[in-house]
Amino acid sequence: MKICTNCQIKEDIKDIALPEIKFKFFFLPTIAEIALPEIMDKKQVAIVGAGVSGLLACKYCLSKGFHPIVFDTEPDIGGVWAKTIKTTTLQSPKTFYQFSDFPWPTSVTDVFPTGQQIRDYLRSYATHFDLIPHIRFHSRVKGISYDGPSSETWSLWNGTGEPFPPEGKWNVTVKSTQTATTQVYTVDFVILCLGRFKDVPNIPEFPAGKGPEVFRGQVIHSMEYAAMDAKVAEEFVKGKKVVVVGFGKTGLDIARECSSINVSKFVESHIKRKLPLTKFNIVPQHSFSKDIRSCKITYLPNRNDFFDEVEKGSIKLKKSQTFSFYNAGILIGDDHSTQIEAEVVIYATGFKGVQKLKDIFESSRFGEFIAGSPRVPLYRECIHPQIPQLAIIGFSESLSNLYISEMRSKWLVALLEGVFKLPSVKEMQKDIVQWDDYMNQSAGEYHYRSSIGALEIWYNDQLCKDMGMNPMRKNGPLANLFEPYGPIDYTKIEA
C-alpha cells in the first residue's frame, strides 16, 4: 500500500481524507493535531541477526516507514560471512546470489567471489541503504518473551488476523558482549533472522570410552577454526596430521586449506554426499534429485584443483557412516576397526539450527511449537500460526539463500503493511502439513531441513500471488517457460 510522502497518509484514502485535512489545517496550526494517529503511527520491529536476511529485513522495513532495530553478537555485519576461512568462496554463481536492486560491482569478475569480496558487497549494500545506524553490534539476544493474550484458542493469527493487534508486545532481552550490561527492548514485532548456522555447533555423540576424551590430540569445531586469524589457523595445523569430519562445503574448504600446508585426511560421516567421481568410492546411494530438493548438494568451484590434491594424496577421502576415537586418532568403518592417525580433528558437522531457534523463546510453549515436529512448521516458511507478531526469515534453505530471503522480506513487509491477510490458523496449519508431506516424499529423511531447493520458482509464485503481483516475471510466455529465473526478475516487486 502506497504512502503519501508529504503527510504519511495511505494513498488509497487520500482523496477521502484530504478535504477534511485541509479543513483542519485551516483552523489548526500543526499536523500533530490531525485525528489520524493509527495511520501515522509506525511500529517498532526488532530484527535478530545482521546477516544477509537481517540486512534485507531491515532494508524493507525502513522502506515502508517502520522502525527496525537489529541486534547482532558480532562487531560487524555478515552473519555466516563475517568469519570464514581464507579459501572460502561463494558456493553458487554470483548472478544467483545478489540483491535484486543492488547488483555486484563490475570490479568483481569472478563467478564465485571470495569471502572477502562477499563481505565487501554486503557492506556496500548496508552503506548504500543506510542500514548501519539501525544495527546494535556486540548485542547478544538472550531471550524474547511475549506479553499478550494466549494463542491457544485463536482462529486467526494474532487473534485478529492483523499483524499488530490491539494487545501484545514482545520483550527482547539483550546483553552487551562488551560491557556485560543487559537491556530489555519492548517492540511491536520480532523478525528472527538466525538461519540454521552458527552459535550452536552440532557435536557428534559417542559411547563411553569412544569419545574425544581418549584422544591425545586436539578436537575443535569448524566454527572455532573459521574464527581464527589466517596466520593462527595456519600455525594450528602446520606440520600436523589433520582429519576433517564432514563432507559439506565447509569441510571441503577446510580440507583444501589444510592440504596446502600438510597431508590431510578427509572423512565423510553421519551423512552421505554426492561427489561426481566413482573412482574415489564416494558416490551416495540416494539420487541427485534428492540432493537438490534437500539443499545438500555441494558445489565445487575449483573441483579440478580439489581432485588434483586427491590424486596427489594431499587429501585422502574415506567414507563412513560413523566414527569414534582412539588415543592416536579416529576409528571408522562398520565395526570401527580401521584406524586413522591424527593430531587434530576438526568437526565440519554443521549446527543445531532448530535448537537455536527454540532456545531464544523464554516461553517453553513457543519453543515446543518450533521444535515439536521433525521440520520447523512455518506457513510460507516464515510464519508460525500460533506464535504472535513474529516471523522467521532465513531458516528455510534454498540454493541461493540471499535470493529467497529477499523475497520473504518483501512478502513480510507487505503483510505488515496490510497489503494482504493470512488465512485462518486452521488453513495455515493444513497448508503446513501438506507441504511437510510433499517434502517428505521428495527429500525423504532430509525433509526436516526445511529446504525449497527444487521449488524456488513455484515458491516465489506463491509469494507474488499473496502480494497481488504477477508471478510471470519474464517478457512473454516462451521466456517464462524456458529462461532461468534469478533475483533480477523480481527487482520491481514491492509491497
Side-chain angles (χ1 to χ4, degrees):
M1 191 170 289
K2 295 182 180 178
I3 299 291
C4 173
T5 56
N6 291 328
C7 55
Q8 296 293 295
I9 298 172
K10 293 184 178 180
E11 187 105 324
D12 57 356
I13 67 164
K14 184 176 65 174
D15 292 339
I16 299 174
L18 195 56
E20 182 182 352
I21 291 172
K22 287 179 178 178
F23 178 79
K24 286 176 182 274
F25 271 145
F26 183 79
F27 291 100
L28 299 174
T30 65
I31 194 171
E33 297 181 54
I34 299 176
L36 293 172
E38 70 281 3
I39 295 174
M40 300 172 63
D41 179 27
K42 287 296 182 178
K43 304 295 185 178
Q44 183 87 47
V45 179
I47 300 171
V48 183
V52 168
S53 297
L55 295 178
L56 284 162
C58 181
K59 184 259 187 183
Y60 283 99
C61 282
L62 283 172
S63 72
K64 296 302 178 181
F66 294 106
H67 302 299
I69 179 170
V70 185
F71 302 104
D72 199 283
T73 306
E74 302 295 337
D76 201 357
I77 62 173
V80 295
W81 291 111
K83 296 177 181 178
T84 61
I85 67 174
K86 182 175 61 176
T87 56
T88 295
T89 61
L90 187 62
Q91 192 172 354
S92 55
K94 66 181 180 184
T95 53
F96 290 97
Y97 196 90
Q98 66 178 345
F99 301 103
S100 67
D101 54 357
F102 194 78
W104 283 89
T106 55
S107 58
V108 178
T109 57
D110 294 334
V111 176
F112 301 97
T114 66
Q116 185 58 56
Q117 287 173 320
I118 295 167
R119 287 189 287 274
D120 292 343
Y121 177 53
L122 298 181
R123 168 62 66 170
S124 296
Y125 177 84
T127 302
H128 179 77
F129 290 106
D130 199 27
L131 306 182
I132 301 299
H134 303 276
I135 303 175
R136 303 292 184 269
F137 295 110
H138 302 287
S139 300
R140 179 180 293 277
V141 175
K142 302 295 291 182
I144 59 175
S145 62
Y146 180 66
D147 183 10
S150 172
S151 64
E152 293 179 355
T153 60
W154 285 349
S155 60
L156 296 174
W157 187 53
N158 288 341
T160 63
E162 301 290 339
F164 303 109
E167 299 180 51
K169 297 279 187 178
W170 281 97
N171 296 313
V172 182
T173 303
V174 181
K175 183 176 182 180
S176 169
T177 59
Q178 290 182 312
T179 64
T181 57
T182 299
Q183 184 173 352
V184 178
Y185 296 80
T186 299
V187 299
D188 300 289
F189 201 91
V190 172
I191 305 176
L192 300 179
C193 299
L194 299 175
R196 62 171 67 249
F197 307 108
K198 295 185 65 179
D199 295 337
V200 187
N202 181 25
I203 305 296
E205 297 181 0
F206 304 93
K210 295 289 187 178
E213 69 277 0
V214 305
F215 177 49
R216 293 195 302 256
Q218 294 175 280
V219 180
I220 66 171
H221 191 269
S222 60
M223 66 183 293
E224 299 171 82
Y225 184 84
M228 294 180 183
D229 178 81
K231 291 184 178 179
V232 174
E234 181 175 341
E235 288 299 317
F236 180 71
V237 300
K238 189 174 183 180
K240 298 176 183 176
K241 297 176 181 177
V242 180
V243 168
V244 181
V245 181
F247 205 61
K249 181 64 166 61
T250 300
L252 290 171
D253 286 341
I254 294 176
R256 179 65 187 87
E257 184 162 295
C258 290
S259 74
S260 66
I261 305 170
N262 310 308
V263 174
S264 169
K265 297 182 187 296
F266 201 85
V267 179
E268 177 187 5
S269 66
H270 305 297
I271 57 175
K272 298 178 180 179
R273 302 302 300 267
K274 172 72 70 176
L275 206 62
L277 292 179
T278 58
K279 65 184 293 185
F280 297 114
N281 189 32
I282 48 176
V283 177
Q285 296 178 357
H286 63 256
S287 68
F288 178 79
S289 174
K290 186 175 288 188
D291 267 343
I292 291 288
R293 293 177 185 277
S294 59
C295 287
K296 291 178 69 64
I297 187 169
T298 297
Y299 291 89
L300 288 174
N302 299 314
R303 56 188 180 277
N304 294 329
D305 178 59
F306 178 86
F307 289 114
D308 283 346
E309 297 301 316
V310 176
E311 292 279 8
K312 291 188 297 184
S314 296
I315 298 174
K316 296 182 180 180
L317 302 172
K318 301 290 183 180
K319 182 165 67 174
S320 177
Q321 291 300 295
T322 61
F323 76 101
S324 61
F325 288 87
Y326 73 108
N327 60 357
I330 68 168
L331 300 168
I332 64 171
D334 293 340
D335 56 359
H336 287 203
S337 61
T338 302
Q339 296 182 345
I340 297 180
E341 292 184 6
E343 295 165 273
V344 173
V345 174
I346 302 175
Y347 294 144
T349 46
F351 299 83
K352 296 180 180 178
V354 175
Q355 188 67 39
K356 181 172 61 173
L357 274 180
K358 178 182 177 181
D359 290 347
I360 201 169
F361 292 97
E362 294 183 12
S363 163
S364 59
R365 184 166 57 90
F366 285 166
E368 288 304 317
F369 284 161
I370 289 293
S373 62
R375 191 178 68 86
V376 176
L378 301 176
Y379 178 73
R380 295 290 192 258
E381 300 298 291
C382 188
I383 297 288
H384 193 289
Q386 292 288 351
I387 301 182
Q389 293 163 254
L390 179 138
I392 300 173
I393 295 179
F395 183 82
S396 176
E397 292 182 277
S398 72
L399 298 180
S400 174
N401 289 327
L402 185 156
Y403 171 24
I404 293 301
S405 287
E406 182 165 23
M407 286 297 295
R408 285 187 188 130
S409 296
K410 293 179 178 182
W411 179 88
L412 176 60
V413 171
L415 173 65
L416 299 186
E417 276 283 284
V419 173
F420 67 94
K421 289 188 177 183
L422 296 176
S424 69
V425 169
K426 185 176 180 179
E427 289 173 317
M428 285 195 285
Q429 291 172 333
K430 181 180 178 181
D431 185 273
I432 290 169
V433 170
Q434 291 175 337
W435 177 259
D436 192 60
D437 288 343
Y438 176 75
M439 291 303 299
N440 193 19
Q441 293 173 24
S442 61
E445 65 272 29
Y446 301 127
H447 83 290
Y448 67 89
R449 293 174 59 85
S450 301
S451 165
I452 59 168
L455 300 169
E456 288 181 354
I457 296 177
W458 177 86
Y459 176 78
N460 286 339
D461 285 353
Q462 309 313 306
L463 302 188
C464 287
K465 291 175 182 177
D466 288 345
M467 293 186 284
M469 302 293 180
N470 183 3
M472 307 299 281
R473 310 304 305 168
K474 299 289 188 181
N475 186 20
L478 291 178
N480 276 295
L481 283 173
F482 298 110
E483 290 183 8
Y485 269 69
I488 304 303
D489 294 305
Y490 298 92
T491 301
K492 296 182 180 180
I493 286 186
E494 291 289 347

